[in-house]
Amino acid sequence: MFDYTPFYICCMELLYRLDDINEVAADVLKAFGERNVIAFSGEMGSGKTTLIHAVCRQLGVKGNMGSPTFSIINEYEGERGPVFHIDLYRCRDEEEAIRAGVEDCIYSGCLCLVEWPEKAPSLFPEETIRVSLTEKDEGRRKISVT
Amino acid sequence: MPVKILAIESSCDETAASVCVDGKILSNVIANQTVHAQYGGVVPELASRAHMQNIVPVVDAALKKASVSLKELNAIAFTKSPGLIGSLLVGSQFAKSLALSLDIPVIGVHHMQAHVLANLIDEPRPAFPFLCLTVSGGHTQIVQCKSPSDLVVIGETLDDAAGEAFDKSAKLLGLPYPGGPLIDTYAAKGVARFNFPEPQIPGLDFSFSGLKTAILYFIRDNEAKDKNFLQQNINDICASIQSRIVSILLNKLKRAADQTGIREICVAGGVSANSGLRSSLTGMGIREKWNTYIPAFQYCTDNAAMIAITGYFKFLNKEFDELDVRISARADF
């Protein structure tokens, strides 16, 4: 008999190139399951914003999305409801992020795709899905979802 | 009776106020929040707190400098979007409260429209219709302007803004904040001999995220071969990055001019201070037989004079707002 736990999150690792980003985004989205807070880590230039844009396209977000580095929170309209694209790059700590309205988004029940989670680590619920991006050799990225 | 407008701008980290009379700017006062440099960027909470401290003295100074009293004002214009919510809130609440107490109308102004219309503050002014490339830390757009109330965004960035591309490139090079102006400084001493790719984005939209990644690889690969590579080639690297950002901007601007047939070409926003962009624009303008315009620098960075001139045009069109007009972090024109 197998003991199956529905909350078990599989660790997923993918290698991809920019050309495959739509397929990868679809796979990553499936891995989210019912969870709605997703933290994206990776150094500058590793492709966090680009991957999030591709995930948002899979969610049916239309139109221009841009980078939330300046605005901190971008809100998009997806087919299953609002999607918050958050970038904590300019926040110093939790308090700053809270005052910018980030906590309200994270606990709103809406899907939140968050870049630079390291800036305010204690803000994230335990069930946060962690996506980390590392660039391998020229043009290839490794993505791991836990 | 002359039309006297007080304008307030508080969308990001500058608290600014301006008074214009019949479209002529009589004062343009800015309290800059230098506190951000030590944190490596604009800090939203510090920004809104500083706006609260600055707004009364800044408005007072703008009125005094223009020799206009509160009683003489016909309307109050303020930035309603886009920007940091906490910052916008301070300016909008102040404007609404003051307008209510004076029993005069408020005029909510879109910050990005105002950047474009800053070109109409001083001579030489572009003739309608004109194109404006607006480049700043948070925005990159090409706007077609047929009249002060007919502005259409025909191209914009799909990811990072041009100013963000400068600042983040500088961060990748290990330069201190704000890195954009430093890249310009180093670039002036260097030669653009390294080739960073130009993204192939259809239409008039921009993308700068690929450049960031290209810089990341470039530094990593070269540092692996030579530890001192970055240090020894910083001028040439900066010149190469700057040259690529500028060519991404101007190639799209040229495409927009070709598509629309418009030859009146403006550049606005804080990145217009970049010397590489200015000289390349001048060169392209001569080759393409454009008339090119860049507003005075004080009207290119975030300022209230551009809010005042936009408020003036809206006043003439009787485009007033109710006191319950809402601010928003992101909004289309």
Side-chain angles (χ1 to χ4, degrees), chain A residues 43-45 50 53 64-67 69-70 72 74 76 89-90 92 96 99 135-136 138-139 141, chain B residues 12 39 42-45 84 138 156-160 164 168 171-172 209 213 216-217 220-221 330:
Chain A
E43 59 185 311
M44 192 180 282
T50 305
H53 284 177
N64 189 3
M65 290 179 271
S67 155
T69 297
F70 176 78
I72 298 176
N74 283 359
Y76 312 132
Y89 181 67
R90 298 194 306 156
R92 257 185 316 163
E96 296 249 340
R99 286 179 200 259
E135 27 97 31
K136 305 291 281 181
E138 199 80 12
R141 307 292 207 293
Chain B
C12 190
Y39 297 116
V42 177
V43 182
E45 165 55 11
L84 301 170
E156 64 187 326
T157 182
L158 301 177
D159 39 58
D160 299 350
E164 187 183 339
K168 286 192 171 170
K171 186 103 181 174
L172 289 168
S209 61
T213 308
L216 188 72
Y217 287 150
R220 189 193 56 186
D221 294 349
R330 269 157 61 86

Side-chain angles (χ1 to χ4, degrees), chain B residues 132-137 139-142 161-166 180-181 183-185 187-188 206 208 238-254 265-287 290 292-295 297 300:
Chain B
C132 183
L133 170 70
T134 314
V135 273
S136 67
H139 306 277
T140 299
Q141 295 183 331
I142 300 177
E164 187 183 339
F166 271 112
I183 289 193
D184 198 6
T185 309
F206 306 91
F208 292 100
C238 286
S240 307
I241 292 171
Q242 174 155 307
S243 152
R244 178 51 75 213
I245 295 176
V246 167
S247 80
I248 290 171
L249 292 170
L250 291 186
N251 288 344
K252 290 296 173 124
L253 187 58
K254 179 179 176 313
I265 309 289
C266 307
V267 172
V271 178
S272 68
N274 180 272
S275 58
L277 178 60
R278 291 180 95 98
S279 63
S280 298
L281 176 74
T282 307
M284 187 173 265
I286 293 167
R287 283 198 303 281
W290 294 345
T292 57
Y293 308 85
I294 301 178
F297 187 60
C300 275

Side-chain angles (χ1 to χ4, degrees), chain A residues 56 61-62 64-68 71-78 81-86 105 108 110-113, chain B residues 85 326 328-331:
Chain A
C56 288
V61 174
K62 304 262 186 300
N64 189 3
M65 290 179 271
S67 155
S71 51
I72 298 176
I73 302 170
N74 283 359
E75 185 179 348
Y76 312 132
E77 208 47 59
V83 181
F84 291 107
H85 180 186
I86 299 169
C105 294
S108 67
C110 298
L111 185 62
C112 293
L113 309 172
Chain B
I85 282 291
R326 294 189 55 183
S328 80
R330 269 157 61 86

